[in-house]
Amino acid sequence: MRILVVEDEHRVADAIVRSLRAEGMTVNSCADSQTALTACRDNYDLIIMDRMLPGPYDGMTIVKIIRSQAIQTPVLILTALGEVTDRVEGLMSGADDYLTKPFSIKEMIARVKVLQRRPKRHVGTVISINGLELNTHTAEVKRNGRVIKLSKREFKILNYLMYHKGQIISKQQLINHAWDENALIMPNTVEVYIGYLRKKIDRNFPNEPPLIHTVFGFGYRLGD
């Protein structure tokens, strides 16, 4: 499970990130609303969003914006405002759950797992292009009906490329998606994994057009 934590109180953010990683989840974080709005458009399984943030937006405004853009990633709002009217306002903004500060880390993890078990609201679970199919629920990848076995890291990278098919994706974007933010990853590590994917997806299908393309000086693009 890949989670984005949006929290400007560093001690709170660190506690949340550490506890989620201890549960085996991949976690990235940011501390201001402008960065958060961009990050929320990425392919996360869950967003934990503080209500009050520095920058031009508060957390609920960000939720309203991403919902208006058909981004249905589950959102758990964190706030010190605990009145019933505040909770109702948070849920009506498009959030999926609402947790009042101070809160128990155990309760937060429980709420995260409950949201994880809910059916996905986006339409469809299979991303496909030119015979290549990736099922985001079963983590199964096929090309022309033939199953392709990928490591967890390879799957994360391919998932990101397919989710953004046709777009140029930088090495840093792939690092941010496939590795924890504190991991020390060199750009040539990304090249190695792209090589693995090329072998499994392109070179093992010599009668099909290659799908993973290098855009020199910029990154990679998945497409016809």
Side-chain angles (χ1 to χ4, degrees), residues 161 167-174 194 198 213-221:
L161 289 171
Q167 301 177 34
I168 298 173
I169 303 300
S170 69
K171 291 178 181 178
Q172 189 59 53
Q173 285 176 287
L174 292 177
I194 290 292
R198 277 202 170 108
H213 307 280
T214 299
V215 183
F216 292 102
F218 294 95
Y220 303 97
R221 178 179 61 82

Side-chain angles (χ1 to χ4, degrees), residues 7 15 17 33 55 59 65 74 91 96 102 104 109 113 119 130 143 146 150 152 159 164 167 179 184 186 188 210 213:
E7 171 61 70
V17 169
S33 62
I65 292 172
L91 294 171
D96 297 83
S104 160
I109 292 173
K113 291 181 176 179
N130 202 347
R143 189 165 189 185
R146 196 168 106 199
L150 300 180
K152 185 182 293 187
N159 183 24
H164 298 279
Q167 301 177 34
W179 285 269
L184 297 175
M186 300 299 291
N188 62 349
H213 307 280

Side-chain angles (χ1 to χ4, degrees), residues 2-213:
R2 186 167 181 256
I3 298 177
L4 174 66
V5 175
V6 183
E7 171 61 70
D8 64 317
E9 295 183 49
H10 296 298
R11 285 183 294 179
V12 175
D14 289 344
I16 294 172
V17 169
R18 285 198 306 270
S19 63
L20 294 174
R21 286 178 178 165
E23 294 290 322
M25 301 173 189
T26 299
V27 188
N28 293 332
S29 64
C30 58
D32 67 274
S33 62
Q34 190 65 60
T35 304
L37 182 57
T38 301
C40 284
R41 298 186 177 112
D42 207 340
N43 189 21
Y44 285 98
D45 299 303
L46 176 71
I47 299 167
I48 298 176
M49 175 84 67
D50 187 26
R51 178 167 175 167
M52 303 304 294
L53 294 168
Y57 313 107
D58 65 9
M60 292 198 305
T61 301
I62 293 174
V63 175
K64 290 177 182 177
I65 292 172
I66 65 173
R67 293 293 185 249
S68 72
Q69 297 169 348
I71 297 169
Q72 299 299 330
T73 308
V75 178
L76 170 60
I77 291 282
L78 304 179
T79 182
L81 302 175
E83 297 296 326
V84 172
T85 53
D86 297 317
R87 295 198 298 271
V88 169
E89 186 180 3
L91 294 171
M92 292 302 291
S93 73
D96 297 83
D97 201 356
Y98 199 94
L99 191 56
T100 305
K101 296 179 179 179
F103 54 84
S104 160
I105 288 292
K106 288 183 178 180
E107 181 183 2
M108 183 208 67
I109 292 173
R111 288 174 181 262
V112 166
K113 291 181 176 179
V114 167
L115 289 172
Q116 183 184 12
R117 291 197 299 267
R118 287 185 183 176
K120 302 293 184 184
R121 289 187 295 179
H122 58 75
V123 178
T125 62
V126 176
I127 311 171
S128 62
I129 180 170
N130 202 347
L132 179 65
E133 297 182 350
L134 182 148
N135 190 309
T136 58
H137 279 186
T138 65
E140 186 176 61
V141 176
K142 297 179 181 179
R143 189 165 189 185
N144 294 344
R146 196 168 106 199
V147 174
I148 301 172
K149 293 185 178 180
L150 300 180
S151 69
K152 185 182 293 187
R153 193 84 62 195
E154 290 166 354
F155 181 85
K156 286 183 176 181
I157 292 171
L158 181 63
N159 183 24
Y160 192 80
L161 289 171
M162 291 191 71
Y163 189 83
H164 298 279
K165 56 188 177 183
Q167 301 177 34
I168 298 173
I169 303 300
S170 69
K171 291 178 181 178
Q172 189 59 53
Q173 285 176 287
L174 292 177
I175 290 172
N176 291 344
H177 174 76
W179 285 269
D180 285 335
E181 61 181 1
N182 293 327
L184 297 175
I185 305 300
M186 300 299 291
N188 62 349
T189 303
V190 177
E191 295 172 15
V192 170
Y193 276 91
I194 290 292
Y196 295 156
L197 286 172
R198 277 202 170 108
K199 180 179 185 300
K200 295 179 179 182
I201 289 165
D202 288 337
R203 290 198 290 275
N204 283 352
F205 295 84
N207 296 324
E208 300 296 332
L211 294 177
I212 300 176
H213 307 280

